[in-house]
Amino acid sequence: MSLATICVVGISGSLRKGSYNTALLRAAMELAPPEMSVEIVDLSPLPIFHPDREHPLPQSVVEFRARLTQADAVLIATPEYNASISSALKNAIDWASRPPQSPLNGKPVAIMGASTGLFGTLRAQLHLRQILVHVGALPLGKPEVLVARAEQAFDSNGRLADETARSFLRELLLALADWVRKVAPI
Ligand code: FNR
């Protein structure tokens, strides 16, 4: 088994300053196993995708795509907006999906999400999974990390306080490490 560090890029689909999804990624940084590092990439510099502005690619897009290319895996924390993913996340995936050499093609991806609703991003995650398969990414199947009623799961400092959610998140990160070793060994 390789002892090399598994470098994971974390993407929050929310641009909100106090985002629960960004907080979920911070929890992933804290709970990652020793052989894994998680770094969060900010989607806010990305412009709205525009097919007439792909040549040359905007610098922020070049940098975003490079971060994905360099990563061994991607961890996406998706909010749920109107029963689907946020426009910011779809926009980022659209930029990343473009040729040549989409950095998402063949990339192991784990997904999770937090919402204030009762379904905990279930519908958004189903859509996200479908989109990821379409762009050639390799989404991990289980465990599913769905944080419902997020305002109760995080404390006032934005720390994931819910022990059940923390345990599922730990399992997800271990499963992602195994998934990388299986489908895209370093
Ligand atoms: C929401 N929210 C929401 N929640 C949910 O569970 N299902 C939904 O369909 C929606 N729809 C929705 C649409 C829009 C436009 C907004 C702004 C919000 C509430 C959402 O879960 C809540 O705002 C979360 O806090 C968003 O995630 P972040 O920003 O905290 O990461």
Side-chain angles (χ1 to χ4, degrees):
M1 187 188 300
S2 167
L3 292 175
T5 300
I6 297 169
C7 299
V8 177
V9 159
I11 294 176
S12 170
S14 171
L15 306 181
R16 194 169 73 86
K17 194 165 166 236
S19 162
Y20 294 121
N21 285 283
T22 308
L24 194 55
L25 283 177
R26 285 197 302 270
M29 293 169 80
E30 178 198 338
L31 299 174
E35 72 272 26
M36 178 181 281
S37 71
V38 181
E39 280 184 10
I40 300 176
V41 60
D42 180 13
L43 298 187
S44 53
L46 297 178
I48 295 279
F49 178 76
H50 193 317
D52 294 337
R53 298 188 190 144
E54 287 191 88
H55 305 289
L57 281 177
Q59 188 55 30
S60 58
V61 175
V62 171
E63 286 166 16
F64 174 61
R65 286 172 60 106
R67 295 284 296 276
L68 295 180
T69 300
Q70 287 153 15
D72 299 310
V74 177
L75 174 63
I76 301 178
T78 181
E80 184 168 278
Y81 281 4
N82 296 314
S84 187
I85 65 172
S86 65
S87 48
L89 179 54
K90 181 62 164 54
N91 188 54
I93 295 172
D94 287 344
W95 276 121
S97 71
R98 302 296 291 154
Q101 291 166 340
S102 161
L104 285 174
N105 189 31
K107 188 72 70 180
V109 181
I111 67 181
M112 58 185 184
S115 83
T116 53
L118 284 179
F119 301 123
T121 72
L122 174 65
R123 296 166 300 186
Q125 290 197 32
L126 289 173
H127 281 177
L128 178 56
R129 200 170 283 283
Q130 189 177 8
I131 294 163
L132 289 171
V133 168
H134 180 81
V135 301
L138 304 174
L140 172 65
K142 284 184 180 174
E144 292 169 300
V145 176
L146 304 147
V147 182
R149 294 269 169 94
E151 71 281 10
Q152 295 172 18
F154 293 86
D155 68 18
S156 55
N157 296 317
R159 179 183 180 273
L160 183 62
D162 185 281
E163 282 304 328
T164 308
R166 289 176 73 84
S167 163
F168 274 114
L169 178 50
R170 259 189 222 101
E171 281 179 38
L172 178 72
L173 296 167
L174 287 171
L176 178 60
D178 283 346
W179 186 233
V180 170
R181 291 183 194 111
K182 196 177 293 175
V183 300
I186 306 169

